[in-house]
Amino acid sequence: MAVLLSTKANAMEAWRAALLALDPGLEIRMFPDAGDPGEIEAAVVWTSHDMAELRRYSNLKLIVSMGAGVDHLLRPPGPPPGIPVARLVDRMLTTQMGEWVLLNVLRFHRQDLEYRELQRDRTWLELPAPVTAERRIGILGLGELGAHAAALLRGLGFPLMGWTRRPRSLNGVETFHGADGLAAMAARSDILICLLPLTPETRGIVDSRLLARLPRGAFLINGARGGHVVDADLLAALDSGHVAAAALDVFDPEPLPPDHAYWAHPRVVMTPHAASITIPASAAAQVVDNLRRARAGAPLLNLVDFAAGY
């Protein structure tokens, strides 16, 4: 039996090598060279793979998504019915996202955009020093990524709040939940960070209503999915000055079209969905473990709950 590997062309060989280093006995077939469909027992795939194509494999026992987000799996037609799907919860993914969040919080907190403008203008001017204890940060989503980011920011002394759909407590974080909680937290968030899973309930959550609730001059950081943000609403808030700036790593669609307003906006800092990139050497052990579990009929790690959307 064989494992189908399907990801970006420039990452395919690295994934193959990482998996074989842990289990040299694996037979790995790199899409589209799947061979006999009946011999494929597991598919390790990323967002570009067509879920309908996986219905060709009659003996498929497991699908592994090469990342923490699974919104691409929820798009019709979805994965083959009855086949378990696992996602990656990898230490390096979490670490990288924490670094990216910290980078942009400090970029905004320490007035880096303003100082870069002064540098371009060759102007020597010292701006008033910001006070960390007065910069309130709200985090949308307190899962693996949100909790880790909160721990990093707490270590620097920022006052922290966090919002989830259902009640949750987290050490050192004032927590909110539900629609009323979202409005209350937004009203006190000088920096709003989105690290939510993308589900039908969270799509478009950062819209004109939520942005209007932020204090004037607040900042937005989105490292989750582009579908969380209503682009026209954010651009209007930036142009009015109500939102001072935004750091965006994710977009809808991706790649971002070259004529999109974000590219040239002076108050938007962009990265190309690069905040947290799966490193095969780090993530492969979890994949191999799940392959062995699937073969043995043992409980799988990090199964996707399609009812919850993550």
Side-chain angles (χ1 to χ4, degrees), residues 6-7 15 43-48 51 54 62-73 84-90 93 225 278 283 286-287 290 301-302 304 306:
S6 177
T7 185
W15 265 103
V44 183
V45 301
W46 191 219
T47 57
S48 60
M51 290 294 106
L54 293 180
L62 173 67
I63 300 170
V64 178
S65 177
M66 295 173 169
V70 297
D71 49 288
H72 56 286
L73 301 173
V85 181
R87 64 191 182 97
L88 292 183
V89 180
D90 180 62
L93 285 174
R225 287 290 184 267
T278 302
Q286 186 180 144
V287 175
N290 260 341
L301 301 173
N302 304 313
V304 175
F306 283 95

PDB file of all heavy atoms in Angstrom, residues 6-7 15 43-48 51 54 62-73 84-90 93 225 278 283 286-287 290 301-302 304 306:
ATOM      1  N   SER A   6       0.928  15.298  -2.005  1.00  0.00           N
ATOM      2  CA  SER A   6       0.525  16.368  -2.924  1.00  0.00           C
ATOM      3  C   SER A   6       0.653  17.719  -2.232  1.00  0.00           C
ATOM      4  O   SER A   6      -0.096  18.027  -1.304  1.00  0.00           O
ATOM      5  CB  SER A   6      -0.919  16.155  -3.394  1.00  0.00           C
ATOM      6  OG  SER A   6      -1.336  17.223  -4.231  1.00  0.00           O
ATOM      7  N   THR A   7       1.617  18.516  -2.674  1.00  0.00           N
ATOM      8  CA  THR A   7       1.810  19.851  -2.124  1.00  0.00           C
ATOM      9  C   THR A   7       2.480  20.707  -3.194  1.00  0.00           C
ATOM     10  O   THR A   7       2.535  20.335  -4.371  1.00  0.00           O
ATOM     11  CB  THR A   7       2.651  19.792  -0.829  1.00  0.00           C
ATOM     12  OG1 THR A   7       2.727  21.100  -0.263  1.00  0.00           O
ATOM     13  CG2 THR A   7       4.052  19.247  -1.074  1.00  0.00           C
ATOM     14  N   TRP A  15       9.336  17.027   1.634  1.00  0.00           N
ATOM     15  CA  TRP A  15       8.370  16.208   2.367  1.00  0.00           C
ATOM     16  C   TRP A  15       8.686  14.719   2.188  1.00  0.00           C
ATOM     17  O   TRP A  15       8.664  13.944   3.156  1.00  0.00           O
ATOM     18  CB  TRP A  15       6.951  16.507   1.884  1.00  0.00           C
ATOM     19  CG  TRP A  15       6.258  17.530   2.717  1.00  0.00           C
ATOM     20  CD1 TRP A  15       6.042  18.840   2.409  1.00  0.00           C
ATOM     21  CD2 TRP A  15       5.697  17.321   4.015  1.00  0.00           C
ATOM     22  NE1 TRP A  15       5.383  19.465   3.429  1.00  0.00           N
ATOM     23  CE2 TRP A  15       5.152  18.567   4.429  1.00  0.00           C
ATOM     24  CE3 TRP A  15       5.598  16.235   4.866  1.00  0.00           C
ATOM     25  CZ2 TRP A  15       4.528  18.732   5.656  1.00  0.00           C
ATOM     26  CZ3 TRP A  15       4.972  16.395   6.096  1.00  0.00           C
ATOM     27  CH2 TRP A  15       4.446  17.630   6.482  1.00  0.00           C
ATOM     28  N   ALA A  43      -3.432   9.926   2.070  1.00  0.00           N
ATOM     29  CA  ALA A  43      -3.102  11.085   1.240  1.00  0.00           C
ATOM     30  C   ALA A  43      -2.651  12.214   2.145  1.00  0.00           C
ATOM     31  O   ALA A  43      -3.368  12.599   3.075  1.00  0.00           O
ATOM     32  CB  ALA A  43      -4.308  11.515   0.414  1.00  0.00           C
ATOM     33  N   VAL A  44      -1.452  12.699   1.890  1.00  0.00           N
ATOM     34  CA  VAL A  44      -0.895  13.827   2.642  1.00  0.00           C
ATOM     35  C   VAL A  44      -0.902  15.006   1.679  1.00  0.00           C
ATOM     36  O   VAL A  44      -0.120  15.048   0.728  1.00  0.00           O
ATOM     37  CB  VAL A  44       0.530  13.508   3.140  1.00  0.00           C
ATOM     38  CG1 VAL A  44       1.072  14.656   3.980  1.00  0.00           C
ATOM     39  CG2 VAL A  44       0.534  12.200   3.941  1.00  0.00           C
ATOM     40  N   VAL A  45      -1.814  15.965   1.911  1.00  0.00           N
ATOM     41  CA  VAL A  45      -2.106  16.973   0.881  1.00  0.00           C
ATOM     42  C   VAL A  45      -2.159  18.378   1.470  1.00  0.00           C
ATOM     43  O   VAL A  45      -2.337  18.564   2.677  1.00  0.00           O
ATOM     44  CB  VAL A  45      -3.449  16.660   0.188  1.00  0.00           C
ATOM     45  CG1 VAL A  45      -3.421  15.296  -0.467  1.00  0.00           C
ATOM     46  CG2 VAL A  45      -4.614  16.736   1.177  1.00  0.00           C
ATOM     47  N   TRP A  46      -2.038  19.361   0.577  1.00  0.00           N
ATOM     48  CA  TRP A  46      -2.177  20.755   0.979  1.00  0.00           C
ATOM     49  C   TRP A  46      -3.328  21.394   0.215  1.00  0.00           C
ATOM     50  O   TRP A  46      -4.102  20.731  -0.468  1.00  0.00           O
ATOM     51  CB  TRP A  46      -0.849  21.496   0.794  1.00  0.00           C
ATOM     52  CG  TRP A  46      -0.801  22.855   1.419  1.00  0.00           C
ATOM     53  CD1 TRP A  46      -0.218  23.967   0.896  1.00  0.00           C
ATOM     54  CD2 TRP A  46      -1.358  23.270   2.684  1.00  0.00           C
ATOM     55  NE1 TRP A  46      -0.373  25.041   1.748  1.00  0.00           N
ATOM     56  CE2 TRP A  46      -1.074  24.646   2.847  1.00  0.00           C
ATOM     57  CE3 TRP A  46      -2.085  22.610   3.679  1.00  0.00           C
ATOM     58  CZ2 TRP A  46      -1.478  25.383   3.958  1.00  0.00           C
ATOM     59  CZ3 TRP A  46      -2.496  23.344   4.799  1.00  0.00           C
ATOM     60  CH2 TRP A  46      -2.187  24.710   4.925  1.00  0.00           C
ATOM     61  N   THR A  47      -3.480  22.681   0.344  1.00  0.00           N
ATOM     62  CA  THR A  47      -4.713  23.365  -0.052  1.00  0.00           C
ATOM     63  C   THR A  47      -5.043  23.241  -1.530  1.00  0.00           C
ATOM     64  O   THR A  47      -6.214  23.313  -1.900  1.00  0.00           O
ATOM     65  CB  THR A  47      -4.632  24.854   0.298  1.00  0.00           C
ATOM     66  OG1 THR A  47      -3.480  25.423  -0.330  1.00  0.00           O
ATOM     67  CG2 THR A  47      -4.510  25.050   1.803  1.00  0.00           C
ATOM     68  N   SER A  48      -4.035  23.098  -2.374  1.00  0.00           N
ATOM     69  CA  SER A  48      -4.309  23.080  -3.815  1.00  0.00           C
ATOM     70  C   SER A  48      -4.904  21.763  -4.289  1.00  0.00           C
ATOM     71  O   SER A  48      -5.405  21.684  -5.419  1.00  0.00           O
ATOM     72  CB  SER A  48      -3.011  23.358  -4.591  1.00  0.00           C
ATOM     73  OG  SER A  48      -2.037  22.371  -4.291  1.00  0.00           O
ATOM     74  N   MET A  51     -10.332  17.989  -3.537  1.00  0.00           N
ATOM     75  CA  MET A  51     -10.909  16.951  -2.684  1.00  0.00           C
ATOM     76  C   MET A  51     -11.695  15.917  -3.496  1.00  0.00           C
ATOM     77  O   MET A  51     -11.762  14.749  -3.136  1.00  0.00           O
ATOM     78  CB  MET A  51     -11.821  17.584  -1.628  1.00  0.00           C
ATOM     79  CG  MET A  51     -11.081  18.379  -0.563  1.00  0.00           C
ATOM     80  SD  MET A  51     -10.034  17.364   0.497  1.00  0.00           S
ATOM     81  CE  MET A  51      -8.403  17.798  -0.145  1.00  0.00           C
ATOM     82  N   LEU A  54      -9.723  12.866  -4.574  1.00  0.00           N
ATOM     83  CA  LEU A  54      -9.428  11.823  -3.594  1.00  0.00           C
ATOM     84  C   LEU A  54     -10.471  10.704  -3.598  1.00  0.00           C
ATOM     85  O   LEU A  54     -10.229   9.633  -3.027  1.00  0.00           O
ATOM     86  CB  LEU A  54      -9.331  12.434  -2.194  1.00  0.00           C
ATOM     87  CG  LEU A  54      -8.144  13.382  -1.963  1.00  0.00           C
ATOM     88  CD1 LEU A  54      -8.166  13.920  -0.537  1.00  0.00           C
ATOM     89  CD2 LEU A  54      -6.819  12.702  -2.256  1.00  0.00           C
ATOM     90  N   LEU A  62      -6.921   7.448   5.402  1.00  0.00           N
ATOM     91  CA  LEU A  62      -6.544   8.654   6.145  1.00  0.00           C
ATOM     92  C   LEU A  62      -6.180   9.766   5.171  1.00  0.00           C
ATOM     93  O   LEU A  62      -5.517   9.528   4.155  1.00  0.00           O
ATOM     94  CB  LEU A  62      -5.335   8.361   7.050  1.00  0.00           C
ATOM     95  CG  LEU A  62      -4.700   9.554   7.767  1.00  0.00           C
ATOM     96  CD1 LEU A  62      -5.659  10.133   8.810  1.00  0.00           C
ATOM     97  CD2 LEU A  62      -3.379   9.146   8.421  1.00  0.00           C
ATOM     98  N   ILE A  63      -6.611  10.991   5.514  1.00  0.00           N
ATOM     99  CA  ILE A  63      -6.169  12.202   4.828  1.00  0.00           C
ATOM    100  C   ILE A  63      -5.479  13.073   5.863  1.00  0.00           C
ATOM    101  O   ILE A  63      -6.008  13.295   6.957  1.00  0.00           O
ATOM    102  CB  ILE A  63      -7.349  12.964   4.199  1.00  0.00           C
ATOM    103  CG1 ILE A  63      -8.067  12.093   3.169  1.00  0.00           C
ATOM    104  CG2 ILE A  63      -6.877  14.269   3.563  1.00  0.00           C
ATOM    105  CD1 ILE A  63      -9.378  12.668   2.688  1.00  0.00           C
ATOM    106  N   VAL A  64      -4.293  13.543   5.541  1.00  0.00           N
ATOM    107  CA  VAL A  64      -3.563  14.463   6.417  1.00  0.00           C
ATOM    108  C   VAL A  64      -3.437  15.798   5.699  1.00  0.00           C
ATOM    109  O   VAL A  64      -2.938  15.862   4.566  1.00  0.00           O
ATOM    110  CB  VAL A  64      -2.170  13.926   6.780  1.00  0.00           C
ATOM    111  CG1 VAL A  64      -1.431  14.938   7.665  1.00  0.00           C
ATOM    112  CG2 VAL A  64      -2.268  12.582   7.487  1.00  0.00           C
ATOM    113  N   SER A  65      -3.894  16.877   6.344  1.00  0.00           N
ATOM    114  CA  SER A  65      -3.747  18.220   5.796  1.00  0.00           C
ATOM    115  C   SER A  65      -2.455  18.820   6.324  1.00  0.00           C
ATOM    116  O   SER A  65      -2.196  18.817   7.526  1.00  0.00           O
ATOM    117  CB  SER A  65      -4.939  19.092   6.216  1.00  0.00           C
ATOM    118  OG  SER A  65      -4.764  20.410   5.757  1.00  0.00           O
ATOM    119  N   MET A  66      -1.625  19.349   5.436  1.00  0.00           N
ATOM    120  CA  MET A  66      -0.289  19.833   5.799  1.00  0.00           C
ATOM    121  C   MET A  66      -0.306  21.214   6.439  1.00  0.00           C
ATOM    122  O   MET A  66       0.452  22.118   6.059  1.00  0.00           O
ATOM    123  CB  MET A  66       0.597  19.889   4.556  1.00  0.00           C
ATOM    124  CG  MET A  66       0.892  18.555   3.925  1.00  0.00           C
ATOM    125  SD  MET A  66       1.770  18.874   2.382  1.00  0.00           S
ATOM    126  CE  MET A  66       2.315  17.248   1.947  1.00  0.00           C
ATOM    127  N   GLY A  67      -1.155  21.434   7.391  1.00  0.00           N
ATOM    128  CA  GLY A  67      -1.213  22.710   8.082  1.00  0.00           C
ATOM    129  C   GLY A  67      -2.248  22.668   9.186  1.00  0.00           C
ATOM    130  O   GLY A  67      -2.977  21.680   9.345  1.00  0.00           O
ATOM    131  N   ALA A  68      -2.303  23.768   9.960  1.00  0.00           N
ATOM    132  CA  ALA A  68      -3.255  23.827  11.068  1.00  0.00           C
ATOM    133  C   ALA A  68      -4.660  24.187  10.588  1.00  0.00           C
ATOM    134  O   ALA A  68      -5.652  23.714  11.128  1.00  0.00           O
ATOM    135  CB  ALA A  68      -2.780  24.846  12.104  1.00  0.00           C
ATOM    136  N   GLY A  69      -4.757  25.039   9.560  1.00  0.00           N
ATOM    137  CA  GLY A  69      -6.063  25.433   9.043  1.00  0.00           C
ATOM    138  C   GLY A  69      -6.662  24.367   8.148  1.00  0.00           C
ATOM    139  O   GLY A  69      -5.941  23.697   7.407  1.00  0.00           O
ATOM    140  N   VAL A  70      -7.974  24.235   8.213  1.00  0.00           N
ATOM    141  CA  VAL A  70      -8.638  23.200   7.411  1.00  0.00           C
ATOM    142  C   VAL A  70      -9.810  23.757   6.616  1.00  0.00           C
ATOM    143  O   VAL A  70     -10.625  23.001   6.097  1.00  0.00           O
ATOM    144  CB  VAL A  70      -9.124  22.029   8.303  1.00  0.00           C
ATOM    145  CG1 VAL A  70      -7.947  21.342   8.973  1.00  0.00           C
ATOM    146  CG2 VAL A  70     -10.130  22.505   9.345  1.00  0.00           C
ATOM    147  N   ASP A  71      -9.902  25.076   6.477  1.00  0.00           N
ATOM    148  CA  ASP A  71     -11.031  25.656   5.763  1.00  0.00           C
ATOM    149  C   ASP A  71     -11.093  25.177   4.312  1.00  0.00           C
ATOM    150  O   ASP A  71     -12.179  25.065   3.733  1.00  0.00           O
ATOM    151  CB  ASP A  71     -10.962  27.189   5.807  1.00  0.00           C
ATOM    152  CG  ASP A  71      -9.592  27.717   5.419  1.00  0.00           C
ATOM    153  OD1 ASP A  71      -8.665  27.559   6.227  1.00  0.00           O
ATOM    154  OD2 ASP A  71      -9.453  28.252   4.307  1.00  0.00           O
ATOM    155  N   HIS A  72      -9.924  24.864   3.720  1.00  0.00           N
ATOM    156  CA  HIS A  72      -9.915  24.374   2.332  1.00  0.00           C
ATOM    157  C   HIS A  72     -10.605  23.018   2.218  1.00  0.00           C
ATOM    158  O   HIS A  72     -11.100  22.657   1.160  1.00  0.00           O
ATOM    159  CB  HIS A  72      -8.482  24.274   1.817  1.00  0.00           C
ATOM    160  CG  HIS A  72      -7.586  23.418   2.655  1.00  0.00           C
ATOM    161  ND1 HIS A  72      -7.090  23.826   3.880  1.00  0.00           N
ATOM    162  CD2 HIS A  72      -7.093  22.165   2.454  1.00  0.00           C
ATOM    163  CE1 HIS A  72      -6.329  22.873   4.388  1.00  0.00           C
ATOM    164  NE2 HIS A  72      -6.322  21.850   3.551  1.00  0.00           N
ATOM    165  N   LEU A  73     -10.639  22.269   3.325  1.00  0.00           N
ATOM    166  CA  LEU A  73     -11.305  20.971   3.315  1.00  0.00           C
ATOM    167  C   LEU A  73     -12.825  21.109   3.364  1.00  0.00           C
ATOM    168  O   LEU A  73     -13.553  20.181   3.013  1.00  0.00           O
ATOM    169  CB  LEU A  73     -10.846  20.129   4.507  1.00  0.00           C
ATOM    170  CG  LEU A  73      -9.350  19.828   4.597  1.00  0.00           C
ATOM    171  CD1 LEU A  73      -9.036  19.130   5.904  1.00  0.00           C
ATOM    172  CD2 LEU A  73      -8.911  18.969   3.418  1.00  0.00           C
ATOM    173  N   PRO A  84     -11.302   9.605   7.793  1.00  0.00           N
ATOM    174  CA  PRO A  84     -10.823  10.536   8.821  1.00  0.00           C
ATOM    175  C   PRO A  84      -9.795  11.513   8.253  1.00  0.00           C
ATOM    176  O   PRO A  84      -8.989  11.155   7.387  1.00  0.00           O
ATOM    177  CB  PRO A  84     -10.199   9.615   9.875  1.00  0.00           C
ATOM    178  CG  PRO A  84      -9.895   8.351   9.159  1.00  0.00           C
ATOM    179  CD  PRO A  84     -10.917   8.213   8.083  1.00  0.00           C
ATOM    180  N   VAL A  85      -9.852  12.747   8.741  1.00  0.00           N
ATOM    181  CA  VAL A  85      -8.932  13.792   8.299  1.00  0.00           C
ATOM    182  C   VAL A  85      -8.209  14.340   9.519  1.00  0.00           C
ATOM    183  O   VAL A  85      -8.843  14.711  10.515  1.00  0.00           O
ATOM    184  CB  VAL A  85      -9.676  14.927   7.575  1.00  0.00           C
ATOM    185  CG1 VAL A  85      -8.690  15.994   7.111  1.00  0.00           C
ATOM    186  CG2 VAL A  85     -10.465  14.386   6.385  1.00  0.00           C
ATOM    187  N   ALA A  86      -6.899  14.401   9.450  1.00  0.00           N
ATOM    188  CA  ALA A  86      -6.096  14.963  10.533  1.00  0.00           C
ATOM    189  C   ALA A  86      -5.424  16.238  10.047  1.00  0.00           C
ATOM    190  O   ALA A  86      -5.076  16.373   8.872  1.00  0.00           O
ATOM    191  CB  ALA A  86      -5.046  13.948  10.988  1.00  0.00           C
ATOM    192  N   ARG A  87      -5.238  17.172  10.950  1.00  0.00           N
ATOM    193  CA  ARG A  87      -4.507  18.392  10.639  1.00  0.00           C
ATOM    194  C   ARG A  87      -3.195  18.383  11.428  1.00  0.00           C
ATOM    195  O   ARG A  87      -2.997  17.536  12.313  1.00  0.00           O
ATOM    196  CB  ARG A  87      -5.335  19.642  10.995  1.00  0.00           C
ATOM    197  CG  ARG A  87      -5.639  19.803  12.480  1.00  0.00           C
ATOM    198  CD  ARG A  87      -6.662  20.899  12.713  1.00  0.00           C
ATOM    199  NE  ARG A  87      -6.923  21.095  14.134  1.00  0.00           N
ATOM    200  CZ  ARG A  87      -6.337  22.038  14.881  1.00  0.00           C
ATOM    201  NH1 ARG A  87      -5.460  22.857  14.323  1.00  0.00           N
ATOM    202  NH2 ARG A  87      -6.616  22.163  16.160  1.00  0.00           N
ATOM    203  N   LEU A  88      -2.315  19.319  11.116  1.00  0.00           N
ATOM    204  CA  LEU A  88      -1.040  19.398  11.811  1.00  0.00           C
ATOM    205  C   LEU A  88      -1.121  20.405  12.951  1.00  0.00           C
ATOM    206  O   LEU A  88      -1.553  21.543  12.753  1.00  0.00           O
ATOM    207  CB  LEU A  88       0.075  19.814  10.852  1.00  0.00           C
ATOM    208  CG  LEU A  88       0.465  18.809   9.767  1.00  0.00           C
ATOM    209  CD1 LEU A  88       1.636  19.357   8.961  1.00  0.00           C
ATOM    210  CD2 LEU A  88       0.825  17.460  10.368  1.00  0.00           C
ATOM    211  N   VAL A  89      -0.732  19.987  14.119  1.00  0.00           N
ATOM    212  CA  VAL A  89      -0.517  20.891  15.245  1.00  0.00           C
ATOM    213  C   VAL A  89       0.959  20.739  15.583  1.00  0.00           C
ATOM    214  O   VAL A  89       1.356  19.855  16.338  1.00  0.00           O
ATOM    215  CB  VAL A  89      -1.406  20.538  16.448  1.00  0.00           C
ATOM    216  CG1 VAL A  89      -1.143  21.503  17.603  1.00  0.00           C
ATOM    217  CG2 VAL A  89      -2.878  20.571  16.050  1.00  0.00           C
ATOM    218  N   ASP A  90       1.768  21.594  14.974  1.00  0.00           N
ATOM    219  CA  ASP A  90       3.211  21.425  15.022  1.00  0.00           C
ATOM    220  C   ASP A  90       3.860  22.562  15.801  1.00  0.00           C
ATOM    221  O   ASP A  90       3.505  23.729  15.642  1.00  0.00           O
ATOM    222  CB  ASP A  90       3.757  21.370  13.590  1.00  0.00           C
ATOM    223  CG  ASP A  90       5.257  21.184  13.546  1.00  0.00           C
ATOM    224  OD1 ASP A  90       5.747  20.151  14.023  1.00  0.00           O
ATOM    225  OD2 ASP A  90       5.937  22.103  13.052  1.00  0.00           O
ATOM    226  N   LEU A  93       5.181  25.422  13.638  1.00  0.00           N
ATOM    227  CA  LEU A  93       4.124  26.295  13.122  1.00  0.00           C
ATOM    228  C   LEU A  93       3.687  27.296  14.175  1.00  0.00           C
ATOM    229  O   LEU A  93       3.495  28.485  13.895  1.00  0.00           O
ATOM    230  CB  LEU A  93       2.933  25.451  12.678  1.00  0.00           C
ATOM    231  CG  LEU A  93       3.047  24.679  11.359  1.00  0.00           C
ATOM    232  CD1 LEU A  93       1.830  23.785  11.174  1.00  0.00           C
ATOM    233  CD2 LEU A  93       3.193  25.637  10.184  1.00  0.00           C
ATOM    234  N   ARG A 225      -6.973  33.762   8.330  1.00  0.00           N
ATOM    235  CA  ARG A 225      -7.380  33.539   6.944  1.00  0.00           C
ATOM    236  C   ARG A 225      -7.925  34.846   6.376  1.00  0.00           C
ATOM    237  O   ARG A 225      -8.531  35.650   7.093  1.00  0.00           O
ATOM    238  CB  ARG A 225      -8.448  32.447   6.839  1.00  0.00           C
ATOM    239  CG  ARG A 225      -7.920  31.033   7.070  1.00  0.00           C
ATOM    240  CD  ARG A 225      -7.030  30.582   5.927  1.00  0.00           C
ATOM    241  NE  ARG A 225      -6.576  29.207   6.065  1.00  0.00           N
ATOM    242  CZ  ARG A 225      -5.446  28.829   6.637  1.00  0.00           C
ATOM    243  NH1 ARG A 225      -4.651  29.735   7.181  1.00  0.00           N
ATOM    244  NH2 ARG A 225      -5.106  27.544   6.687  1.00  0.00           N
ATOM    245  N   THR A 278       4.862  25.422   7.145  1.00  0.00           N
ATOM    246  CA  THR A 278       5.141  24.064   7.603  1.00  0.00           C
ATOM    247  C   THR A 278       6.542  23.640   7.166  1.00  0.00           C
ATOM    248  O   THR A 278       6.893  23.732   5.983  1.00  0.00           O
ATOM    249  CB  THR A 278       4.114  23.074   7.020  1.00  0.00           C
ATOM    250  OG1 THR A 278       2.804  23.485   7.423  1.00  0.00           O
ATOM    251  CG2 THR A 278       4.372  21.669   7.538  1.00  0.00           C
ATOM    252  N   ALA A 283       7.378  18.553  10.982  1.00  0.00           N
ATOM    253  CA  ALA A 283       6.004  18.039  10.984  1.00  0.00           C
ATOM    254  C   ALA A 283       5.894  16.571  10.587  1.00  0.00           C
ATOM    255  O   ALA A 283       4.882  15.928  10.864  1.00  0.00           O
ATOM    256  CB  ALA A 283       5.147  18.885  10.047  1.00  0.00           C
ATOM    257  N   GLN A 286       4.721  13.696  13.091  1.00  0.00           N
ATOM    258  CA  GLN A 286       3.292  13.597  13.397  1.00  0.00           C
ATOM    259  C   GLN A 286       2.542  12.870  12.281  1.00  0.00           C
ATOM    260  O   GLN A 286       1.628  12.081  12.552  1.00  0.00           O
ATOM    261  CB  GLN A 286       2.732  15.007  13.587  1.00  0.00           C
ATOM    262  CG  GLN A 286       1.312  15.062  14.050  1.00  0.00           C
ATOM    263  CD  GLN A 286       0.837  16.502  14.222  1.00  0.00           C
ATOM    264  OE1 GLN A 286      -0.309  16.804  13.948  1.00  0.00           O
ATOM    265  NE2 GLN A 286       1.715  17.387  14.659  1.00  0.00           N
ATOM    266  N   VAL A 287       2.950  13.107  11.042  1.00  0.00           N
ATOM    267  CA  VAL A 287       2.313  12.445   9.911  1.00  0.00           C
ATOM    268  C   VAL A 287       2.578  10.938   9.958  1.00  0.00           C
ATOM    269  O   VAL A 287       1.661  10.118   9.810  1.00  0.00           O
ATOM    270  CB  VAL A 287       2.811  13.035   8.579  1.00  0.00           C
ATOM    271  CG1 VAL A 287       2.246  12.257   7.393  1.00  0.00           C
ATOM    272  CG2 VAL A 287       2.426  14.514   8.472  1.00  0.00           C
ATOM    273  N   ASN A 290       0.591   9.217  12.632  1.00  0.00           N
ATOM    274  CA  ASN A 290      -0.809   9.008  12.263  1.00  0.00           C
ATOM    275  C   ASN A 290      -0.965   7.912  11.216  1.00  0.00           C
ATOM    276  O   ASN A 290      -1.963   7.177  11.214  1.00  0.00           O
ATOM    277  CB  ASN A 290      -1.431  10.315  11.773  1.00  0.00           C
ATOM    278  CG  ASN A 290      -2.262  10.991  12.840  1.00  0.00           C
ATOM    279  OD1 ASN A 290      -2.676  10.362  13.824  1.00  0.00           O
ATOM    280  ND2 ASN A 290      -2.539  12.276  12.674  1.00  0.00           N
ATOM    281  N   LEU A 301      -4.309  11.323  15.857  1.00  0.00           N
ATOM    282  CA  LEU A 301      -3.966  12.612  16.450  1.00  0.00           C
ATOM    283  C   LEU A 301      -4.593  13.750  15.656  1.00  0.00           C
ATOM    284  O   LEU A 301      -4.622  13.727  14.431  1.00  0.00           O
ATOM    285  CB  LEU A 301      -2.444  12.804  16.458  1.00  0.00           C
ATOM    286  CG  LEU A 301      -1.615  11.763  17.204  1.00  0.00           C
ATOM    287  CD1 LEU A 301      -0.130  12.012  16.949  1.00  0.00           C
ATOM    288  CD2 LEU A 301      -1.920  11.793  18.691  1.00  0.00           C
ATOM    289  N   ASN A 302      -5.098  14.762  16.382  1.00  0.00           N
ATOM    290  CA  ASN A 302      -5.546  16.021  15.773  1.00  0.00           C
ATOM    291  C   ASN A 302      -6.566  15.828  14.655  1.00  0.00           C
ATOM    292  O   ASN A 302      -6.457  16.413  13.572  1.00  0.00           O
ATOM    293  CB  ASN A 302      -4.344  16.816  15.253  1.00  0.00           C
ATOM    294  CG  ASN A 302      -3.318  17.073  16.333  1.00  0.00           C
ATOM    295  OD1 ASN A 302      -3.666  17.486  17.436  1.00  0.00           O
ATOM    296  ND2 ASN A 302      -2.061  16.821  16.045  1.00  0.00           N
ATOM    297  N   VAL A 304      -9.834  16.325  12.559  1.00  0.00           N
ATOM    298  CA  VAL A 304     -10.663  17.490  12.263  1.00  0.00           C
ATOM    299  C   VAL A 304     -12.101  17.207  12.692  1.00  0.00           C
ATOM    300  O   VAL A 304     -12.661  16.150  12.382  1.00  0.00           O
ATOM    301  CB  VAL A 304     -10.615  17.814  10.761  1.00  0.00           C
ATOM    302  CG1 VAL A 304     -11.584  18.950  10.419  1.00  0.00           C
ATOM    303  CG2 VAL A 304      -9.199  18.167  10.346  1.00  0.00           C
ATOM    304  N   PHE A 306     -15.467  18.287  11.816  1.00  0.00           N
ATOM    305  CA  PHE A 306     -16.124  19.037  10.745  1.00  0.00           C
ATOM    306  C   PHE A 306     -17.366  19.781  11.239  1.00  0.00           C
ATOM    307  O   PHE A 306     -17.758  20.780  10.652  1.00  0.00           O
ATOM    308  CB  PHE A 306     -16.454  18.112   9.588  1.00  0.00           C
ATOM    309  CG  PHE A 306     -15.261  17.771   8.742  1.00  0.00           C
ATOM    310  CD1 PHE A 306     -14.545  16.619   8.981  1.00  0.00           C
ATOM    311  CD2 PHE A 306     -14.839  18.620   7.754  1.00  0.00           C
ATOM    312  CE1 PHE A 306     -13.434  16.298   8.224  1.00  0.00           C
ATOM    313  CE2 PHE A 306     -13.718  18.336   6.998  1.00  0.00           C
ATOM    314  CZ  PHE A 306     -13.014  17.168   7.233  1.00  0.00           C
TER     315      PHE A 306
END
